[in-house]
């Protein structure tokens, strides 16, 4: 069954396998009225997980469902809890409606950041429809197959972000909420794939252990397993110009395909 769902908030491709790929930071659209309140550097939506929907385009061939938002995380961060509780207490991070960029620079012009009422409006307008669709698709797949793996696809600039982390981020950063969001067997299969290749260095449950979506929806006891993969963008694009580099990406996609196949084993 292939029943695409399109809205101004997200696109949902419904697949046939017990696999759902969520790309919550792929969106880059910022409405004009919000962009006018932002500093020039923020209007480029620099903290987008650029091109991850292109990287994971092959997932449909595996029968996966795929959900992709339209709007930038600067509008609302779909991978943050609706009450904006910090996911990494004691560490720098960005919030539900980010006021700072990954560099630590401001997102908004002086006095233009959203107040609590506006944040609540954005949650209802953008955050909740995505999560309603995500939860609905999880339950549809689980009811059909008895299980579902939720794969959270992310990417980030892998260096020069001291506000978030020191030094160079590993190429591939697998997060399972320290083992709580998926079964030990699934984590072992994924680690075996990562350990069996030599093109990329990797870490499991390092700086990025999984965001709100991984932690909230991953309930292995209910047959819902969730995994996050944070990719350093240098492996498939130019981090300064945001240009997609297809040669690099093709090599990376071969590994991503093996990882997703391991979720279906």
């Amino acid at each position: 069954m292939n029943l695409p769902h399109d809205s101004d908030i997200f696109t949902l491709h419904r697949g046939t396998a017990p696999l759902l790929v969520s790309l919550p930071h792929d969106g880059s659209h910022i409405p004009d009225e919000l962009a006018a309140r932002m500093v020039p550097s923020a209007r480029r939506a620099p903290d987008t997980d650029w091109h991850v929907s292109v990287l994971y385009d092959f997932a449909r061939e595996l029968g996966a469902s795929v959900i992709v938002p339209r709007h930038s995380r600067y509008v609302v961060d779909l991978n943050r809890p609706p009450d904006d509780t910090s996911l990494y207490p004691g560490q720098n991070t960005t919030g539900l409606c980010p006021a700072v960029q990954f560099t630590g620079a401001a997102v908004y012009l002086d006095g233009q950041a959203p107040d609590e009422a506006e944040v609540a409006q954005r949650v209802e307008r953008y955050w909740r429809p995505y999560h309603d669709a995500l939860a609905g698709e999880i339950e549809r797949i689980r009811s059909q197959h008895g299980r579902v793996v939720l794969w959270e696809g992310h990417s980030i600039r892998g260096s020069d972000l001291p506000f978030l982390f020191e030094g160079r981020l590993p190429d591939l950063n697998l997060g399972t909420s320290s083992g709580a969001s998926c079964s030990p067997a699934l984590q072992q299969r994924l680690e075996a794939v990562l350990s069996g290749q030599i093109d990329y260095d990797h870490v499991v449950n390092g700086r990025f252990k999984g965001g709100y979506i991984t932690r909230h929806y991953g309930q292995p006891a209910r047959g819902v397993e969730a995994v996050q993969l944070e990719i350093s963008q240098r492996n498939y694009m130019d981090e300064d110009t945001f240009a997609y580099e297809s040669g690099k990406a093709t090599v990376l996609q071969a590994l991503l395909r093996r990882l997703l196949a391991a979720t279906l084993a």
Side-chain angles (χ1 to χ4, degrees):
M1 180 173 63
N2 177 8
L3 297 174
H5 180 100
D6 296 298
S7 76
D8 66 338
I9 305 299
F10 63 88
T11 297
L12 171 62
H13 167 87
R14 292 191 174 103
T16 57
L19 175 61
L20 171 57
V21 176
S22 166
L23 307 174
H25 295 151
D26 181 81
S28 60
H29 178 67
I30 301 174
D32 290 343
E33 62 273 18
L34 293 185
R37 295 161 52 190
M38 294 180 178
V39 300
S41 61
R43 295 171 194 161
R44 299 176 68 214
D47 301 332
T48 300
D49 292 12
W50 294 107
H51 312 297
V52 289
S53 58
V54 180
L55 272 182
Y56 283 100
D57 187 58
F58 70 87
R60 292 169 174 79
E61 300 171 15
L62 300 178
S65 297
V66 183
I67 184 168
V68 184
R70 178 175 179 235
H71 293 84
S72 166
R73 71 192 303 155
Y74 284 177
V75 177
V76 70
D77 192 329
L78 300 169
N79 202 28
R80 297 290 184 271
D83 64 0
D84 206 15
T85 301
S86 177
L87 297 171
Y88 295 96
Q91 295 177 284
N92 285 338
T93 187
T94 55
L96 180 61
C97 290
V100 295
Q101 304 176 45
F102 285 174
T103 60
V107 170
Y108 292 92
L109 299 166
D110 287 346
Q112 295 296 311
D115 59 16
E116 289 186 13
E118 182 180 352
V119 170
Q121 291 171 349
R122 292 195 203 178
V123 168
E124 292 304 314
R125 174 73 177 88
Y126 303 102
W127 190 97
R128 204 159 302 284
Y130 187 88
H131 281 268
D132 286 348
L134 184 65
E137 187 65 5
I138 288 170
E139 290 309 310
R140 183 191 73 82
I141 296 171
R142 191 175 75 92
S143 65
Q144 182 176 346
H145 296 277
R147 63 179 286 255
V148 56
V149 175
L150 171 61
W151 185 274
E152 276 286 292
H154 293 261
S155 75
I156 191 172
R157 187 181 183 95
S159 58
D160 301 322
L161 287 177
F163 179 73
L164 294 182
F165 53 83
E166 293 297 327
R168 173 189 177 278
L169 196 69
D171 294 325
L172 303 173
N173 303 265
L174 188 73
T176 64
S177 191
S178 298
S181 66
C182 75
S183 66
L186 175 55
Q187 181 167 323
Q188 289 166 9
R189 293 199 303 273
L190 296 173
E191 289 190 48
V193 172
L194 292 172
S195 298
Q197 54 80 43
I198 59 173
D199 294 315
Y200 307 99
D201 58 6
H202 70 278
V203 67
V204 179
N205 290 313
R207 171 63 178 86
F208 296 100
K209 304 178 190 299
Y212 172 76
I213 292 175
T214 300
R215 302 182 199 192
H216 178 74
Y217 292 101
Q219 301 177 42
R222 293 186 61 244
V224 181
E225 301 182 83
V227 175
Q228 175 178 295
L229 184 66
E230 188 85 60
I231 300 170
S232 289
Q233 292 176 341
R234 60 178 173 267
N235 294 293
Y236 70 91
M237 60 174 274
D238 185 298
E239 293 184 325
D240 295 317
T241 67
F242 308 150
Y244 188 72
E245 297 183 348
S246 59
K248 288 182 177 180
T250 298
V251 177
L252 178 58
Q253 285 177 308
L255 177 58
L256 295 178
R257 184 182 285 269
R258 294 200 296 276
L259 286 167
L260 292 195
T263 71
L264 298 172

